[in-house]
Amino acid sequence: MAPHTTLGKRGYELTKGPNLREQFSLILGNLYDPKTNPNGIVLFGVSENYAMVPELTLPTSAFSYGEGPWGTDRLRKSMAHYVNKNFGVHEPVDADKILFANGVTSICEMLGFTVADPGDGILLSKPIYQAFQFDFGTKARIKPVFVDFDGVDQFSPEAAAKYEEALLNAEKQGIKPHNPLGQCYPKETIIALMKLCFKYQVHLLSDEIYATSVYEVPDKNAVPFTSVLSFDSSPYISPDYCHMIYGLSKDFAGGGLRIGCIYLRNEELNRAMSAISQFHWSGGPSQEIATTILEDEDFLDRYQRLAKERLASRNKMARRYLDTAGIRYHQGANAGFFLWVDLRPFLPPLDPGMSSEWEREQALAKRMIDHKVFLTNGEGLSAEEPGFFRIIFSHDEETIRVGFKRLFEALGKKEAAASI
């Protein structure tokens, strides 16, 4: 009889095998240091060039194997404190339940490898951040199951029925602000999705990587950010099936640091992901930089205030240019760095040589490139129909002006281009 598990076959097997975290965390977390930890363990068992580490400028631990691939104790504690302070948590986050890797991309791959089996699916809304299907699919071989909403507001509780319809049609596994729509999910919608996931024993993966990139906009459709950790979700879903993902690439402009993490209240999943974490190790210098940032409360307060001011200002600037040109865009966007723009009126006619409507969108995208401006097209983001594009407004103001001028020239909006 097959054992009860919240994981896929691969993940379950990993929980039974050797686990680097269990084998070495007690050793690597208690290393000898003549000044700070004289009673710690002298590490005669790991081959490193200790003789030359003192010649390097960062703390010596940043250039060693450190405490393991799951993140140093300082990093996990500083991240727990940051989440507790900024995510409105219902109960304090436990640092020991945070697992780090070299980016959220790696976290997604590790999740796909452990919670599902090859050929299983992950529910993804349309439109969606274009890389998810590759993050989960390339190595873990999880299939994207895209959810069509057919006019239903995907940020409403009623959208859960569309996820259920897609799940039943595909016969299974997985499914937040939202990229590329830039809108936060209301609490009631999150609850509806939690209920759906628990009904079918499906894991809910809440990507909260834009959690503090939320700002004030003059838009009645905007709603505040709600984390899955900000309320008691136990009546709706087991914590074994609800996971929060975060990283430093967006809120902290640190994509090159390769720092991502997941908060796991599922011990079985934690064991499985820890068993493969050595293949997704974030570098010591990156962990040291991240820890230094997260521990500096004064810097964080200043940084977050400035980030919200700049993003709000540049969101407003982009909206103003689009409004002036009479171009529609998705309302309610108050998070992230983008607007979802409706360029359907500017699609070229269907050429006899074109085999699909999507080629009209591709032709418009090429015209933009010819005018030296690039927007991600809707096809790449799994849009429901051609003609929608994602525009990033987080640039400096001069770049935004130049970009919109070139965009309007590509669209034939000469008056709007001349007004910039």
Side-chain angles (χ1 to χ4, degrees):
M1 182 176 179
H4 171 74
T5 178
T6 60
L7 311 180
K9 293 178 182 177
R10 297 178 298 195
Y12 179 73
E13 290 172 359
L14 287 169
T15 67
K16 301 303 176 185
N19 187 307
L20 188 68
R21 188 169 188 175
E22 292 180 352
Q23 290 176 324
F24 288 102
S25 60
L26 293 178
I27 297 172
L28 298 176
N30 184 31
L31 294 179
Y32 168 79
D33 185 279
K35 294 180 180 179
T36 61
N37 194 25
N39 294 317
I41 297 171
V42 175
L43 197 62
F44 276 173
V46 176
S47 176
E48 290 194 64
N49 191 357
Y50 303 104
M52 296 310 298
V53 169
E55 305 306 313
L56 304 172
T57 55
L58 284 173
T60 56
S61 61
F63 287 96
S64 71
Y65 291 122
E67 298 171 34
W70 42 84
T72 66
D73 183 63
R74 275 181 62 210
L75 178 57
R76 285 182 283 111
K77 286 179 177 177
S78 61
M79 178 59 79
H81 178 73
Y82 177 79
V83 172
N84 288 335
K85 182 178 179 180
N86 293 281
F87 287 48
V89 296
H90 170 69
E91 58 185 22
V93 164
D94 182 349
D96 288 336
K97 296 179 180 178
I98 298 176
L99 183 144
F100 275 88
N102 56 339
V104 168
T105 293
S106 292
I107 292 289
C108 291
E109 180 187 295
M110 294 163 74
L111 274 168
F113 197 88
T114 52
V115 302
D117 294 315
D120 286 344
I122 178 169
L123 290 173
L124 299 170
S125 62
K126 284 187 175 183
I128 193 69
Y129 169 58
Q130 67 270 32
F132 277 145
Q133 58 183 303
F134 305 109
D135 294 350
F136 287 94
T138 302
K139 291 173 71 175
R141 290 178 288 161
I142 307 306
K143 295 180 179 179
V145 177
F146 293 107
V147 180
D148 290 304
F149 293 96
D150 304 316
V152 173
D153 178 5
Q154 65 173 281
F155 294 93
S156 69
E158 289 72 30
K162 289 296 181 178
Y163 282 101
E164 183 171 27
E165 181 180 316
L167 185 150
L168 293 175
N169 286 340
E171 295 183 355
K172 328 202 183 10
Q173 223 58 289
I175 335 195
K176 169 176 165 299
H178 185 287
N179 182 356
L181 300 184
Q183 187 171 345
C184 300
Y185 284 96
K187 179 179 177 180
E188 55 270 24
T189 304
I190 297 173
I191 290 173
L193 293 174
M194 286 177 168
K195 290 178 177 178
L196 172 67
C197 288
F198 194 55
K199 176 180 178 180
Y200 291 99
Q201 302 289 278
V202 169
H203 290 267
L204 176 63
L205 315 177
S206 183
D207 177 9
E208 303 188 4
I209 200 166
Y210 292 97
T212 61
S213 294
V214 185
Y215 38 84
E216 295 292 329
V217 294
D219 189 332
K220 61 181 177 61
N221 297 295
V223 298
F225 166 66
T226 300
S227 170
V228 294
L229 303 178
S230 66
F231 59 94
D232 180 10
S233 60
S234 59
Y236 319 113
I237 190 171
S238 164
D240 284 344
Y241 287 93
C242 185
H243 322 297
M244 189 278 288
I245 303 170
Y246 188 67
L248 271 64
S249 62
K250 306 303 180 185
D251 288 345
F252 290 96
L257 285 176
R258 309 314 303 146
I259 293 285
C261 65
I262 182 169
Y263 186 55
L264 295 165
R265 294 167 291 182
N266 180 328
E267 181 57 32
E268 184 183 39
L269 179 55
N270 201 329
R271 282 176 52 81
M273 292 184 67
S274 294
I276 56 174
S277 62
Q278 66 265 37
F279 305 113
H280 305 278
W281 204 319
S282 185
S286 290
Q287 294 192 47
E288 181 66 27
I289 292 169
T291 304
T292 300
I293 291 172
L294 293 170
E295 288 180 341
D296 192 336
E297 298 271 4
D298 291 338
F299 167 76
L300 288 175
D301 290 341
R302 293 194 306 273
Y303 178 88
Q304 288 178 345
R305 282 196 301 271
L306 182 58
K308 291 178 185 294
E309 290 170 4
R310 286 185 180 172
L311 290 172
S313 172
R314 290 164 195 182
N315 178 294
K316 183 178 179 180
M317 185 178 182
R319 288 171 182 255
R320 184 173 70 249
Y321 284 142
L322 293 168
D323 290 339
T324 300
I327 295 174
R328 295 184 298 175
Y329 50 89
H330 181 77
Q331 298 298 306
N334 65 330
F337 317 142
F338 28 75
L339 291 172
W340 186 240
V341 183
D342 181 1
L343 300 183
R344 288 176 296 179
F346 305 97
L347 292 175
L350 188 65
D351 186 273
M354 294 180 178
S355 60
S356 73
E357 289 287 325
W358 292 104
E359 291 191 47
R360 299 173 64 201
E361 182 180 276
Q362 294 165 12
L364 180 56
K366 183 180 183 304
R367 191 194 308 164
M368 293 177 191
I369 292 293
D370 291 341
H371 282 79
K372 300 295 190 294
V373 62
F374 170 74
L375 280 68
T376 305
N377 63 323
E379 183 179 23
L381 294 161
S382 305
E384 293 193 59
E385 62 175 302
F388 290 88
F389 288 74
R390 184 188 69 174
I391 189 165
I392 306 297
F393 57 75
S394 53
H395 296 280
D396 63 89
E397 293 185 355
E398 177 60 20
T399 300
I400 294 174
R401 279 190 287 270
V402 171
F404 270 100
K405 186 177 183 68
R406 293 178 180 180
L407 172 61
F408 293 157
E409 289 170 349
L411 298 177
K413 303 287 289 187
K414 296 180 180 179
E415 290 185 10
S419 69
I420 296 177

